[in-house]
Amino acid sequence: MFLALLALLALGPETPVGSLSLGPAAGNQNVRSVVTNGRDFLALWADERASVHAFQPALFAGRLDNAGRPLEPTGHRLAEETLGGSLFRSNDSYLLLYTLASGFSYLQALDDDGKPVGAATRMDLAVAPRTFATNGRNLLALLNSGQVWLLSLDGTVLWKESLPAPSDASEIAVMPNGDYRFVTRGDGQVIVATVDGTTGFLTKRTLVSANRMGALVRGTTTFVAWTEGNAAKYEIVDGGPAVQFASDAGNAEVAVGWDGHEYAIALSSPAGLRISRVAADGRLLDPAPMAMPGLMFNVHFATTGTDTLMAGDRFNADFDVLDRASRGFDDLAAAQTNIVASSPNVQRFPRVAEGGLTLWREQNVMAQLPGGTPHTIVDGDIDVHAGRGASSYLAVWIADGKLWAKRLSFDGTPIDADPIFVADSGSVAYGFPETSPAIAFDGTDYLVVWPDTRGELHALRVAQNGHAVGAPVTLTDHGTAFVSANSARVVWNGTNYVVAWADQLYTNSLISPQPPQPALISTMRVARTGEVLDTKPQVLWSKSNVYSVGLASNGSGVEVVWMAPSPIGSRHLCVFHNDVELACNDLGLYDSPPFDLDLAWDGNEYVAAWTDPETFQVKALRLGVDDEPFVVSDNASQASIAASPGGATIAYVRVAGEPPYGSVPRVFTRTLVRSGAPPRRRATR
């Protein structure tokens, strides 16, 4: 029987909403390395656009042409949740050395596009690398801890040495004889370190004390620049005395580059970005540092021999990676600035209204029918719900302690240019999806329901023109109890409105650990006139915590669903049907509760949709039809569902790594075609 019903399951194709136009990538991006194959460049950066933990960003890479223009604007993800990584060019491939949040480190070969070639090699590193290099026989890594490790190319440690943790460090250079050399600043001291490329024996030389430092090893020549207080100086090691080139450096960041003919020293500070050029023989070419357009921090240089690239981070609303390329440092100030990492906007918190209109947050609040054109509904990062009326939708939201509305055509086009003021109350809660307003339509007017910051629930009739009909009424009376009304839902059942919500109880007990406080699932009826029909809420559930609530009507009855834990640690989807039937489906064991529960009547059966935090999937279940949930989408969350032509539309957010989505959270919809299978009788309890 189950196989026959399963064959009737029909999920339509995944449809994106919104525009895919690109801008600076969402979240923070910070450049880690810029390297060249002698023709163009490859950039590596840490990227938070879709990271769960901002302190464990992903690693992205993207190829840049000789003018610094990204050939892959969105870049591509190489590793999730990392603690660090660095690039090196070796013979005919790039090498990436990185450490995952798990603590495991890997060496991965990359092609000229920065795409992985072959399997990664596990490297026996203790912490993440700051920089590394290979002479073809072995690999030397300077770790963020200051440890210097020589490893075989199969990952085995050959030799270890310790230096102070690097506050600044140059790239590791391979010298003509196969030895390694780099410059590091730790504990305020600038140290030039040389490592024997065979034995791993390290010799070090303390150069100066410095606030900040940048350096470059070119062949057997070591060029170092640093700041001492407000003074900025440079030196070719063993090539003459130090030269002061600025007296107003402050605590500017210092970076050093080579364009094939001369050096450049970059000073980055909140006052701006400046560059001083130095001839190959050490002569200062600029009496004072030259101002560069734009502000850039964490500067990195690379040169192909004919083209020079400068890349770094710029802060606007967040950090973005920029670059500028030219034939040499002489022309760098006039070069075009390019955004290295781009993405579409982040999309969050989709809400599907009856008929399939999907609303979501994308800097502002947007609305679109799947496959249609997106429309801006209201400016700001707020939560908006919409109810379908006779000739339009009514979108409602709460901002600045006021309830607002705007009419939308059935394709989401705003009818009203300005929001309509509906109600004024300084006690309404706003800014959280589970405390946002709910809306339903009775064929003539709407009923809008919302909780206030004291935990009470209110309702108000609203006409189809968006204006209030009468005054708000209060549905609950919690008195002095510590209670918060969440997940408010409202539907019209053909006779009256039904409101459902979860009252979460809190305790002020000093007992530790505090006794468990179960949630109450409650409903109330409200007449078409706005009159409250029940003297007190009907409590459906009071056994345990509740994670979210769903409510739907088939036009004559209602169904309430919620997620609740069982005593044995599993999670249940519980159903209350037409005031007489209660059943709970076991959804399996969970360490974390399912959430984002929503419910719709698709014209033939009730369909519940939710986010499964254990599998990172959006799942759904046709109540009384399916024996177990089915997967709507992998790597997804923030489920919402509503009736639409042909069945039900399910919206959700997932991170799409494939072009053109740019690995940012985006909203997608799928239509579940109604099955036509007759619902089975459910067990009661």
Side-chain angles (χ1 to χ4, degrees):
M1 176 66 174
F2 172 66
L3 292 177
L5 293 175
L6 184 62
L8 297 174
L9 177 65
L11 270 171
E14 186 177 69
T15 303
V17 300
S19 168
L20 287 170
S21 59
L22 298 178
N28 291 319
Q29 288 77 41
N30 303 104
V31 66
R32 290 289 180 261
S33 301
V34 179
V35 290
T36 179
N37 56 11
R39 299 178 301 278
D40 49 31
F41 305 95
L42 185 68
L44 176 76
W45 64 90
D47 201 310
E48 297 176 5
R49 69 180 78 177
S51 296
V52 176
H53 305 292
F55 54 89
Q56 297 173 352
L59 281 179
F60 274 61
R63 189 175 185 175
L64 313 171
D65 68 12
N66 60 1
R69 294 168 299 208
L71 300 176
E72 186 184 4
T74 62
H76 57 272
R77 188 165 32 187
L78 292 172
E80 297 279 3
E81 295 192 12
T82 63
L83 301 177
S86 179
L87 281 177
F88 184 79
R89 181 70 185 186
S90 176
N91 297 324
D92 59 352
S93 68
Y94 294 108
L95 294 177
L96 168 65
L97 182 64
Y98 65 96
T99 301
L100 297 174
S102 63
F104 296 129
S105 298
Y106 296 90
L107 180 67
Q108 175 68 64
L110 306 175
D111 63 18
D112 283 345
D113 290 319
K115 303 293 179 64
V117 177
T121 301
R122 171 83 178 276
M123 306 299 285
D124 190 14
L125 292 180
V127 295
R130 173 69 181 254
T131 184
F132 82 102
T134 176
N135 59 13
R137 303 189 304 271
N138 48 48
L139 179 148
L140 187 78
L142 171 64
L143 308 187
N144 286 331
S145 61
Q147 294 176 316
V148 182
W149 286 24
L150 186 73
L151 302 96
S152 66
L153 297 180
D154 65 4
T156 305
V157 178
L158 303 175
W159 169 88
K160 300 178 183 179
E161 182 63 89
S162 291
L163 293 173
S167 301
D168 299 308
S170 73
E171 296 177 353
I172 298 175
V174 179
M175 303 179 70
N177 64 356
D179 290 348
Y180 301 97
R181 181 173 292 174
F182 61 93
V183 185
T184 180
R185 183 182 70 89
D187 294 339
Q189 302 296 308
V190 175
I191 299 170
V192 180
T194 303
V195 177
D196 187 289
T198 302
T199 66
F201 181 75
L202 182 147
T203 57
K204 61 183 180 180
R205 172 181 174 182
T206 300
L207 196 63
V208 294
S209 296
N211 302 110
R212 303 302 301 264
M213 183 276 297
L216 175 70
V217 179
R218 183 176 61 87
T220 59
T221 301
T222 303
F223 185 94
V224 183
W226 67 93
T227 60
E228 297 177 12
N230 286 326
K233 302 178 181 181
Y234 70 85
E235 176 183 329
I236 295 178
V237 177
D238 297 328
V243 177
Q244 180 171 316
F245 65 96
S247 58
D248 57 351
N251 197 35
E253 294 181 356
V254 183
V256 173
W258 170 258
D259 70 357
H261 306 283
E262 58 194 20
Y263 298 98
I265 307 169
L267 298 176
S268 304
S269 72
L273 173 65
R274 299 178 296 164
I275 282 184
S276 286
R277 296 169 301 160
V278 178
D281 60 6
R283 289 178 294 112
L284 179 63
L285 299 179
D286 299 305
M290 301 182 299
M292 301 290 288
L295 182 58
M296 193 180 292
F297 298 96
N298 186 27
V299 172
H300 294 247
F301 291 99
T303 181
T304 64
T306 58
D307 299 286
T308 298
L309 180 129
M310 177 177 69
D313 304 332
R314 176 193 66 183
F315 183 80
N316 191 3
D318 53 41
F319 280 100
D320 297 303
V321 178
L322 308 178
D323 74 32
R324 188 179 296 139
S326 66
R327 290 294 182 181
F329 295 133
D330 298 345
D331 306 318
L332 201 54
Q336 174 181 322
T337 299
N338 305 295
I339 298 173
V340 172
S342 300
S343 78
N345 291 328
V346 170
Q347 298 176 333
R348 301 177 298 149
F349 302 124
R351 298 289 180 184
V352 185
E354 182 181 353
L357 184 70
T358 303
L359 295 86
W360 70 93
R361 302 190 209 175
E362 184 182 338
Q363 296 182 327
N364 300 317
V365 179
M366 311 293 293
Q368 179 181 345
L369 276 177
T373 301
H375 302 278
T376 301
I377 303 307
V378 61
D379 296 338
D381 187 22
I382 56 180
D383 196 55
V384 178
H385 284 213
R388 184 181 174 96
S391 58
S392 65
Y393 285 100
L394 187 68
V396 292
W397 66 93
I398 296 171
D400 301 323
K402 297 177 175 63
L403 180 64
W404 302 90
K406 184 178 284 190
R407 293 172 299 163
L408 313 176
S409 64
F410 287 140
D411 68 355
T413 304
I415 296 172
D416 304 302
D418 298 316
I420 301 168
F421 169 74
V422 180
D424 191 0
S425 172
S427 63
V428 291
Y430 60 95
F432 301 95
E434 288 305 301
T435 56
S436 55
I439 184 170
F441 183 65
D442 66 6
T444 303
D445 295 318
Y446 299 93
L447 187 73
V448 180
V449 178
W450 70 91
D452 67 21
T453 53
R454 299 172 312 218
E456 305 293 358
L457 202 62
H458 306 276
L460 175 66
R461 289 173 64 206
V462 180
Q464 292 191 63
N465 63 9
H467 293 278
V469 179
V473 296
T474 301
L475 303 180
T476 57
D477 183 11
H478 295 136
T480 59
F482 291 89
V483 179
S484 175
N486 297 298
S487 296
R489 307 286 188 259
V490 59
V491 295
W492 174 255
N493 69 0
T495 304
N496 45 249
Y497 293 104
V498 177
V499 182
W501 71 95
D503 277 328
Q504 179 60 59
L505 280 65
Y506 298 96
T507 179
N508 58 0
S509 170
L510 299 179
I511 299 174
S512 181
Q514 291 188 350
Q517 297 294 311
L520 306 178
I521 300 296
S522 302
T523 64
M524 288 194 79
R525 296 171 302 147
V526 178
R528 184 193 296 270
T529 60
E531 178 187 0
V532 180
L533 299 177
D534 299 309
T535 57
K536 62 180 181 179
Q538 179 185 8
V539 177
L540 310 182
W541 179 270
S542 60
K543 299 179 182 179
S544 60
N545 289 333
V546 169
Y547 305 121
S548 52
V549 178
L551 174 67
S553 173
N554 62 4
S556 59
V558 297
E559 192 129 323
V560 186
V561 295
W562 60 91
M563 291 289 185
S566 75
I568 61 172
S570 64
R571 297 294 182 261
H572 285 161
L573 174 67
C574 296
V575 180
F576 192 81
H577 178 64
N578 286 349
D579 294 340
V580 297
E581 185 176 358
L582 177 64
C584 288
N585 291 29
D586 192 345
L587 300 177
L589 294 173
Y590 290 89
D591 292 330
S592 303
F595 52 94
D596 301 328
L597 178 65
D598 204 1
L599 184 70
W601 170 258
D602 72 355
N604 193 72
E605 58 263 327
Y606 290 101
V607 185
W610 65 91
T611 298
D612 185 330
E614 297 294 310
T615 61
F616 300 101
Q617 294 171 319
V618 165
K619 292 182 176 178
L621 183 75
R622 295 171 297 180
L623 305 182
V625 176
D626 299 320
D627 290 322
E628 59 186 46
F630 58 89
V631 175
V632 177
S633 178
D634 295 318
N635 192 28
S637 63
Q638 301 178 24
S640 178
I641 187 172
S644 61
T649 294
I650 304 171
Y652 50 88
V653 171
R654 74 172 178 90
V655 176
E658 67 273 13
Y661 302 113
S663 295
V664 294
R666 299 285 293 181
V667 173
F668 297 87
T669 64
R670 298 188 75 176
T671 297
L672 174 65
V673 179
R674 68 176 64 94
S675 68
R680 296 168 292 173
R681 186 178 184 277
R682 300 172 210 159
T684 60
R685 48 181 287 182

